[in-house]
């Protein structure tokens, strides 16, 4: 199995999982209930993660990249600190400012 996606928010991972399932890719959601439970692990290792079969990795990554572009628009710059951010992020990872404009439903 290969990891193709992870995020701090289970909502984001669930969305990515739906995208993969819609594309016909079998995937496995791990760490769904683990967040915060394992203090010894690096934080990102406790995030919910999506795994796919080795053979599906490249296809899964391209599907996720397309989905991020389609739903998130273009990369944006943080209005507070000027950090450049990928469209799938709704908050600046650097200063925590929200993405400008209407929030997606
Ligand atoms: Zn910022």
């Amino acid at each position: 199995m290969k990891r193709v996606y992870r995020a701090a928010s289970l909502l984001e991972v669930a969305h990515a999982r739906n995208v993969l399932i819609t594309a016909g890719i079998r995937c496995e959601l791990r760490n769904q209930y683990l967040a915060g439970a394992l203090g010894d692990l690096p934080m990102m290792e406790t995030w919910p993660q999506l795994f796919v079969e080795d053979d599906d990795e490249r296809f899964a990554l391209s599907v996720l990249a397309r989905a991020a572009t389609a739903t998130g628009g273009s990369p944006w710059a943080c209005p507070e600190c000027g950090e450049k951010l990928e469209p799938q992020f709704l908050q600046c990872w650097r200063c925590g400012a929200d993405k400008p404009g209407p929030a997606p439903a």
Side-chain angles (χ1 to χ4, degrees), residues 6-57:
R6 68 179 167 193
S9 152
L10 184 59
L11 262 180
E12 286 176 59
V13 177
H15 173 71
R17 180 164 170 258
N18 284 338
V19 168
L20 291 182
I21 290 172
T22 303
I25 302 170
R26 283 199 315 134
C27 59
E28 190 178 309
L29 178 57
R30 297 185 187 171
N31 283 3
Q32 188 169 359
Y33 305 110
L34 218 60
L38 298 177
D40 291 341
L41 286 176
M43 188 178 72
M44 287 177 77
E45 293 304 319
T46 68
W47 287 2
Q49 312 185 355
L50 280 180
F51 285 77
V52 299
E53 301 291 343
D54 291 10
D55 290 347
D56 289 333
E57 182 188 14

Side-chain angles (χ1 to χ4, degrees), residues 78 81 92 95:
C78 175
C81 71
C92 175
C95 72

Side-chain angles (χ1 to χ4, degrees), residues 76-85 91-98:
W76 54 286
C78 175
E80 298 296 325
C81 71
E83 186 67 38
K84 294 273 262 177
L85 294 142
Q91 270 192 337
C92 175
W93 56 264
R94 193 177 203 180
C95 72
D98 286 334

